[in-house]
Amino acid sequence: MEFRFATIDDLNAIVSLENECFSSPYKEKDVIYELSENPFCNTLVIENNREIIGYLMYLITFDSSSIVRIGVKKNYRKQGIAFSLLTKCEEYLKEKQVEFFTLEVRESNLAAINLYEKFGFLKICVKKSYYDDGENAIYMMKGVF
């Protein structure tokens, strides 16, 4: 498996993963914006035999980074792919001298919350009615050292 940064050529694969992974997926225009227009956004992909099987989209602003999206193909889940993406991302963040890593996760997404806690994220607070459907988000943070 190989890591690399996404390009606009990866648009279809990322949109497909969005639709597979999220109840409110990004539209194609949103992914285009993040890949080619947002100067703060980076998208790391992991490939298996040249097929994108997962991605992690994150923002870097000054000394902090926020996970925007992380998705793994269903048939590759529970194999450490998301943890590997987080690990590789953290390596890049250290190079950029980023001090902390944040994210919001659906309160009901226990598998993701467990993953983030295993990776060292701490629950900071609950953001009430954060998502369009009214679900709360758990705000989590991790120091990058």
Side-chain angles (χ1 to χ4, degrees):
M1 292 195 209
E2 294 183 26
F3 295 95
R4 66 176 174 79
F5 285 101
T7 69
I8 197 67
D9 293 336
D10 300 315
L11 175 66
N12 291 337
I14 292 171
V15 169
S16 177
L17 273 167
E18 278 286 319
N19 289 321
E20 182 178 331
C21 297
F22 297 103
S23 57
S24 298
Y26 275 7
K27 293 176 177 34
E28 184 176 293
K29 68 178 179 62
D30 301 319
V31 177
I32 290 170
Y33 172 75
E34 299 299 354
L35 289 177
S36 61
E37 298 175 39
N38 186 343
F40 304 104
C41 189
N42 299 280
T43 303
L44 184 63
V45 297
I46 186 168
E47 293 180 314
N48 186 33
N49 297 323
R50 297 176 139 178
E51 173 192 17
I52 293 175
I53 60 170
Y55 73 104
L56 190 155
M57 190 177 287
Y58 62 100
L59 304 173
I60 297 177
T61 51
F62 304 107
D63 63 349
S64 70
S65 179
S66 298
I67 293 177
V68 178
R69 309 293 260 190
I70 185 168
V72 174
K73 281 191 166 215
K74 286 182 182 174
N75 54 335
Y76 286 93
R77 292 184 187 160
K78 298 188 184 199
Q79 297 179 33
I81 303 298
F83 196 90
S84 294
L85 282 163
L86 289 165
T87 301
K88 184 57 93 173
C89 182
E90 188 172 55
E91 290 174 17
Y92 291 125
L93 296 178
K94 286 177 183 177
E95 289 174 15
K96 299 284 186 187
Q97 299 180 331
V98 169
E99 294 182 21
F100 57 95
F101 208 3
T102 66
L103 61 89
E104 289 90 10
V105 59
R106 286 181 178 272
E107 196 170 47
S108 65
N109 192 344
L110 300 180
I113 292 167
N114 288 335
L115 166 70
Y116 297 135
E117 288 180 330
K118 181 180 172 184
F119 195 73
F121 281 89
L122 301 174
K123 294 177 183 175
I124 303 301
C125 66
V126 174
K127 293 184 175 185
K128 298 287 185 186
S129 302
Y130 181 80
Y131 294 100
D132 289 342
D133 62 3
E135 185 173 355
N136 295 339
I138 305 292
Y139 180 72
M140 302 181 82
M141 181 182 291
K142 179 184 192 303
V144 177
F145 307 106

